């Protein structure tokens, strides 16, 4: 088995298991994620099972063994550190670095990766808000929620973008929805499956729930009592 192919499969299985409520990747979704046929994916998964990197149950889903999970997290660390380096050091567009990182993640050495990590100041997340695994394979759990689950009137801070598609990232950037941006949900219409949000400095925009489900956010911090008092003192008297 070519190491690059193994790493791609393990990374895809890990991501699908994290997204699945059942904690496992289906063969259909795995094949779609990698752009191969279901038969090809099944054949490869059987090899991963034989190599004790994954657990495969016929007519069931796929999960990773501890060894497979460590390998997947190592690939994710490489990928996300490379993306961060390309954006912060080389100033490449955040919508274009995913494909470059896909190529480089299989070639970079541990020594070079550690040097990149040190150069960047040991970042906790990549440009898209995804957490970067530590050298020991630790990955903090995200506490953010999909934007689609927020009620009207809620203020939140964008924490992560769950879609690396170039067009999607361009849309997000154009409407001020990058990680770290503060937004407010102006309206939510379950019947139309859409919601209206406004980011600081940008015009309000309606987005569909499936789109909002790929944007993750955390509740915006409440202003301190002192800050609230200061704001009140600046208010003109009501006449």
């Amino acid at each position: 088995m070519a190491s690059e192919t193994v790493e791609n499969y393990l990374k895809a299985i890990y991501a699908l298991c994290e997204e699945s409520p059942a904690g496992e990747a289906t063969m259909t979704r795995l094949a779609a994620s990698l752009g191969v046929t279901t038969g090809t994916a099944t054949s490869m998964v059987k090899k991963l099972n034989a190599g004790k990197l994954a657990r495969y149950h016929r007519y069931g889903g796929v999960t990773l063994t501890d060894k497979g999970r460590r390998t997947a997290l190592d690939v994710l660390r490489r990928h996300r550190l490379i993306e961060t380096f390309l954006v912060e050091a080389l100033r490449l567009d955040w919508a274009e670095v995913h494909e470059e990182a896909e190529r480089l993640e299989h070639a970079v050495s541990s020594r070079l990766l550690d040097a990149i990590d040190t150069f960047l100041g040991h970042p906790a997340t990549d440009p898209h808000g995804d957490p970067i695994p530590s050298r020991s394979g630790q990955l903090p759990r995200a506490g953010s929620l999909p934007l689609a689950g927020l009620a009207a009137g809620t203020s939140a801070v964008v924490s992560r973008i769950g879609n690396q598609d170039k067009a999607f990232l361009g849309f997000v950037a154009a409407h001020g929805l990058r990680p770290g941006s503060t937004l407010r949900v102006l309206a939510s219409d379950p019947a139309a499956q859409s919601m209206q949000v406004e980011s600081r400095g940008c015009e309000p925009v309606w987005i569909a729930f499936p789109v909002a489900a790929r944007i993750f956010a955390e509740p915006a911090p409440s202003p301190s009592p002192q800050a609230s008092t200061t704001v009140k003192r600046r208010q003109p008297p009501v006449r």
Side-chain angles (χ1 to χ4, degrees), residues 5-138:
T5 302
V6 170
E7 290 178 349
N8 285 336
Y9 267 82
L10 294 178
K11 185 174 66 172
I13 294 170
Y14 176 85
L16 292 173
C17 287
E18 288 295 295
E19 294 176 359
S20 169
E24 61 182 24
T26 65
M27 204 61 65
T28 301
R29 292 199 64 195
L30 178 60
S33 174
L34 293 167
V36 299
T37 65
T38 304
T40 298
T42 301
S43 178
M44 186 62 191
V45 165
K46 289 179 178 179
K47 294 178 181 178
L48 296 177
N49 184 80
K52 301 187 184 304
L53 293 169
R55 299 185 185 91
Y56 167 65
H57 304 285
R58 192 177 184 185
Y59 307 120
V62 185
T63 58
L64 296 177
T65 62
D66 289 342
K67 180 181 178 181
R69 187 175 187 275
R70 286 194 301 269
T71 303
L73 287 172
D74 179 62
V75 181
L76 282 178
R77 171 176 166 78
R78 284 183 259 153
H79 182 97
R80 292 172 181 176
L81 276 173
I82 290 169
E83 283 191 335
T84 308
F85 178 79
L86 293 176
V87 170
E88 295 191 7
L90 301 186
R91 304 301 180 188
L92 296 187
D93 191 299
W94 78 321
E96 299 177 344
V97 297
H98 179 70
E99 291 184 0
E100 295 296 335
E102 286 281 297
R103 300 185 187 98
L104 294 171
E105 68 187 26
H106 305 291
V108 65
S109 67
S110 297
R111 181 181 179 183
L112 178 56
L113 194 70
D114 287 342
I116 290 174
D117 189 25
T118 301
F119 174 81
L120 294 171
H122 309 291
T125 60
D126 71 7
H128 310 108
D130 289 314
I132 298 174
S134 69
R135 188 178 183 184
S136 61
Q138 300 300 312

